[in-house]
Amino acid sequence: MPAILILEDDPLFISSLADLLEENRYEVELASRAEEALAKAKKRCFHLILTDVRIAGPEDGVSALEAIQKIQPGIRSIIMTGYADTEVPLRAARLRADDYLHKPFKLRNLLQAVEAVLQRETPFRNLFQRLT
């Protein structure tokens, strides 16, 4: 069962995301601040992080993703935002985020994005099994 870390500071929205993903057989951990997400990533491996760009605290979601990628280089990522900031997509591209969703979006679309990202093979995944 894939494990997903959700970094979002809106309690109602994060609850909706968690309910949707758990109903679809994903393990979900929640964090409302970058520091909390980083602490969880140090304790447990995740297949995917869903992160809002603007969250409470000194670090934003993209900075949190960057820090988590240093701990878990293979983690997949979907960035969510409700703001039209031109710099954020560039930062996301530098971090090789797997997807970028603009709020508001339909939960069905988020679920489709999660499934697509988790099914997509990374370029070097299983490389050694193929060589043997």
Side-chain angles (χ1 to χ4, degrees):
M1 180 182 311
I4 299 174
L5 175 61
I6 304 174
L7 175 55
E8 168 65 58
D9 62 354
D10 179 324
L12 183 58
F13 188 57
I14 198 170
S15 177
S16 297
L17 294 177
D19 289 346
L20 171 75
L21 294 170
E22 288 170 345
E23 287 170 6
N24 285 276
R25 303 183 148 237
Y26 294 102
E27 278 186 50
V28 177
E29 291 268 346
L30 307 177
S32 60
R33 297 176 61 90
E35 304 82 22
E36 183 182 4
L38 188 57
K40 289 183 182 223
K42 287 179 180 178
K43 292 180 184 173
R44 176 179 184 191
C45 288
F46 292 97
H47 296 91
L48 173 70
I49 180 171
L50 294 174
T51 182
D52 190 4
V53 173
R54 294 194 181 187
I55 53 174
E59 298 291 324
D60 70 5
V62 180
S63 297
L65 171 61
E66 184 174 18
I68 290 169
Q69 284 179 331
K70 290 177 183 173
I71 299 166
Q72 297 185 30
I75 195 167
R76 309 310 292 265
S77 59
I78 297 175
I79 295 176
M80 308 173 290
T81 188
Y83 298 94
D85 185 343
T86 57
E87 184 182 320
V88 174
L90 296 173
R91 290 174 61 206
R94 274 188 244 119
L95 293 175
R96 298 180 186 207
D98 293 281
D99 208 340
Y100 191 89
L101 299 174
H102 288 277
K103 294 178 183 177
F105 50 78
K106 295 183 190 258
L107 291 178
R108 166 179 84 244
N109 293 344
L110 172 76
L111 186 58
Q112 290 170 344
V114 166
E115 290 169 352
V117 166
L118 290 174
Q119 289 175 4
R120 194 177 309 142
E121 190 170 333
T122 56
F124 301 108
R125 186 180 293 166
N126 301 324
L127 176 64
F128 293 109
Q129 287 93 352
R130 291 184 193 156
L131 294 176
T132 56

